[in-house]
Amino acid sequence: MRGAKKQGDGTIRFRIAYSRPEALLEEFTHSVNQGASPLTVSKPVPVGTRFIFELLAGGVGKPVEVYAEVLSVQPLGNGRYRLNLGYLPGGRGGLDEVVIRALDAQKHEWTRKAPRIPLNIRATEEAPYSPGYLVRDMSLGGAGFEVEATALPKSVTLGAPMLLELTLREDAKLRLRGVVVWALQGRGKRSPLNSSFGVQFVEDLDFDALEMLDKVVSFKSIPRGARVTFGSEAY
């Protein structure tokens, strides 16, 4: 495994560099919320082997460490193997500094009322034949979404009410009501680009809900799932 170093206790340390803190945070939320993900390697390792991924971002001195364990090993042929990794709880490491750097980069964006933090949280909708969604960023005032399709759902129109329900790791539910304030239609097959839209939160939150939202924006509590509802059912 190129770039990997094996420690005396058998743990493999793997270093990954990102050009921007925002890119690191997107990958961090994606990996943590997957719970498990594959890694293709040229040399198999035993089940139970521990990994430490050092995530580095430009301008940030201390790495963010993500811990994982090999759950299974699958030969792919041609000397390649797929490791199925399960992620383990770990310390915050340099995560606080990465969050601060990402927020500082937005100081001169006067069009935003509140700084946004990049995320990569999958969201679902109970409506039949609905596409998948990704929560791509969030602030104390709203959130940005990507639709996993080139066409916007008919329910996503300017001014449409929406309910975003986040499930936090302690199984607490954070319900955020808002309205769609911008929407971009995706491109066609020749130039693929998913549709996207933004939501502004409109309801005053009580102290507990505001505290939970603040923890999400500061990466102290990362949602493990989300659900969206549009139209009259959002209220």
Side-chain angles (χ1 to χ4, degrees):
M1 285 170 286
R2 190 176 180 181
K5 293 183 179 180
K6 195 169 185 178
Q7 300 180 170
D9 60 357
T11 299
I12 298 175
R13 186 174 290 270
F14 205 95
R15 179 168 290 188
I16 306 172
Y18 299 88
S19 59
R20 301 176 298 113
E22 295 85 351
L24 187 155
L25 293 176
E26 289 176 8
E27 180 59 31
F28 182 84
T29 52
H30 174 72
S31 298
V32 169
N33 282 282
Q34 285 283 347
S37 65
L39 176 66
T40 301
V41 297
S42 59
K43 184 179 179 181
V45 297
V47 171
T49 298
R50 296 289 182 94
F51 276 79
I52 300 176
F53 293 94
E54 290 186 358
L55 309 183
L56 298 163
V60 179
K62 190 174 182 180
V64 177
E65 292 188 343
V66 176
Y67 302 91
E69 181 178 330
V70 177
L71 303 178
S72 63
V73 182
Q74 176 187 0
L76 300 176
N78 298 322
R80 308 292 286 175
Y81 300 84
R82 176 175 294 153
L83 309 181
N84 186 33
L85 301 178
Y87 292 97
L88 306 169
R92 289 184 63 82
L95 190 57
D96 289 327
E97 185 181 354
V98 175
V99 171
I100 291 172
R101 292 281 181 149
L103 296 178
D104 283 347
Q106 303 172 55
K107 284 183 177 180
H108 302 293
E109 294 185 14
W110 305 112
T111 57
R112 297 185 181 276
K113 294 182 179 180
R116 59 188 172 91
I117 199 73
L119 293 170
N120 197 335
I121 308 295
R122 188 168 297 279
T124 59
E125 183 184 6
E126 290 188 352
Y129 310 110
S130 61
Y133 300 87
L134 287 175
V135 185
R136 298 312 306 264
D137 60 68
M138 185 173 293
S139 72
L140 295 178
F145 297 81
E146 179 181 329
V147 184
E148 293 184 320
T150 55
L152 284 168
K154 293 182 179 179
S155 55
V156 180
T157 58
L158 294 181
M162 193 210 74
L163 170 66
L164 171 62
E165 186 177 70
L166 300 173
T167 302
L168 306 182
R169 297 208 164 270
E170 53 272 22
D171 287 331
K173 301 286 186 179
L174 175 58
R175 295 165 63 89
L176 301 166
R177 288 184 171 85
V179 295
V180 177
V181 292
W182 62 265
L184 294 175
Q185 197 73 249
R187 299 177 183 175
K189 294 182 179 179
R190 292 186 177 180
S191 181
L193 180 69
N194 287 342
S195 295
S196 56
F197 63 95
V199 169
Q200 180 179 335
F201 302 144
V202 298
E203 184 177 303
D204 290 335
L205 301 177
D206 60 30
F207 178 80
D208 290 339
L210 187 59
E211 185 179 30
M212 283 192 287
L213 178 57
D214 183 70
K215 287 182 177 180
V216 172
V217 174
S218 62
F219 264 65
K220 293 177 181 176
S221 180
I222 301 174
R224 58 182 178 86
R227 187 175 67 178
V228 295
T229 305
F230 297 94
S232 59
E233 295 183 2
Y235 291 97

